[in-house]
Amino acid sequence: MAFDKELVAAKLRRWEKYLREYRLPEWDRLPDLGLYMEQVTVLMRQYLDYLPPELKEEQFITASTINNYVRMKIMPEPRGKRYYRIHLAYLIVILTLKQSLSIQDVQRAVPMNMSEDEMRAFYQYYVDMFHSVALVFVDQAREATRSVLAPESNDDSAIPNMVMLGALVSGFSRILVEKILRLQGADTQAVLEKENRGKK
């Protein structure tokens, strides 16, 4: 693999700076005036601009995806074709989790049918956790990429090694989440018996 080390280092520094300052919108900053679908899709793209443009799907969020989330009961139905603060909060949580989870796992992870007060508390907790995790990630990424960021380094394997490390951490994290989500509502005795038979 051939990489321009200076370009990679510059991109990493820029993203690190951006992530340190980035925050999902607070609950009170989400509009609650009844937005139409097109307004919602534009707003979601603005709110989730931490995703680098070159990594976002061309149509990151569309009317059909939102309609699917409503149909699948991952989020509440709009009120008279209008979306309010609670809908926007659900969408932000769903779309950020979709970066690492399947939609079925998002459905298992996100509580449904919350009242507005419950969603407000859940969303605020999620926003705070998102920011904390972003800061931890930035620190860990800085440590893992030290040899890439050091101008005097001549280690040609540093960038490919960083790619492999990131992919492995992402893979193991996803497996852990999927295993835990599959235990939701499981019969403890049945799970233990299955493990005793040698199946994980």
Side-chain angles (χ1 to χ4, degrees):
M1 283 191 252
F3 291 97
D4 180 330
K5 185 175 174 254
E6 288 180 30
L7 176 63
V8 171
K11 285 282 193 179
L12 289 171
R13 285 188 189 98
R14 186 171 162 202
W15 199 45
E16 174 187 351
K17 181 180 184 309
Y18 184 80
L19 278 182
R20 284 198 185 282
E21 297 169 5
Y22 177 81
R23 286 199 62 105
L24 291 173
E26 301 289 327
W27 175 266
D28 292 331
R29 295 188 59 97
L30 297 174
D32 199 29
L33 45 97
L35 301 174
Y36 288 108
M37 180 70 80
E38 186 176 315
Q39 295 168 307
V40 171
T41 58
V42 169
L43 198 58
M44 287 299 116
R45 287 186 195 102
Q46 291 171 3
Y47 285 158
L48 303 178
D49 70 349
Y50 75 95
L51 297 167
E54 64 271 15
L55 299 182
K56 273 193 254 187
E57 297 173 22
E58 185 62 35
Q59 294 298 318
F60 171 60
I61 178 69
T62 64
S64 63
T65 28
I66 294 173
N67 288 332
N68 283 337
Y69 298 156
V70 170
R71 185 182 49 75
M72 295 171 74
K73 300 195 181 312
I74 302 173
M75 63 177 284
E77 291 184 21
R79 291 180 235 148
K81 296 189 179 184
R82 290 182 178 238
Y83 294 83
Y84 294 85
R85 183 178 286 146
I86 193 167
H87 301 101
L88 301 176
Y90 265 103
L91 277 171
I92 289 169
V93 171
I94 292 165
L95 293 170
T96 53
L97 289 175
K98 273 284 296 158
Q99 299 309 305
S100 59
L101 295 177
S102 69
I103 195 62
Q104 291 78 17
D105 286 338
V106 171
Q107 193 170 22
R108 288 183 182 111
V110 178
M112 188 53 194
N113 297 322
M114 288 188 276
S115 69
E116 191 144 335
D117 287 340
E118 291 169 327
M119 185 55 181
R120 178 186 187 132
F122 173 83
Y123 179 76
Q124 194 54 56
Y125 172 78
Y126 186 83
V127 166
D128 293 342
M129 182 173 34
F130 183 96
H131 185 66
S132 296
V133 169
L135 294 178
V136 168
F137 170 78
V138 165
D139 290 341
Q140 289 177 340
R142 175 163 269 292
E143 183 62 30
T145 60
R146 189 179 333 166
S147 62
V148 174
L149 297 172
E152 70 281 353
S153 172
N154 292 323
D155 183 0
D156 290 339
S157 66
I159 296 172
N161 288 346
M162 180 186 68
V163 170
M164 292 303 125
L165 174 67
L168 290 169
V169 168
S170 174
F172 280 116
S173 295
R174 184 170 181 152
I175 290 168
L176 172 66
V177 169
E178 288 176 1
K179 284 182 81 63
I180 291 170
L181 287 174
R182 276 157 185 68
L183 294 175
Q184 191 175 37
D187 178 347
T188 304
Q189 189 61 37
V191 171
L192 293 175
E193 287 174 9
K194 185 176 180 180
E195 284 183 359
N196 286 338
R197 289 192 305 265
K199 299 176 183 174
K200 299 284 182 218

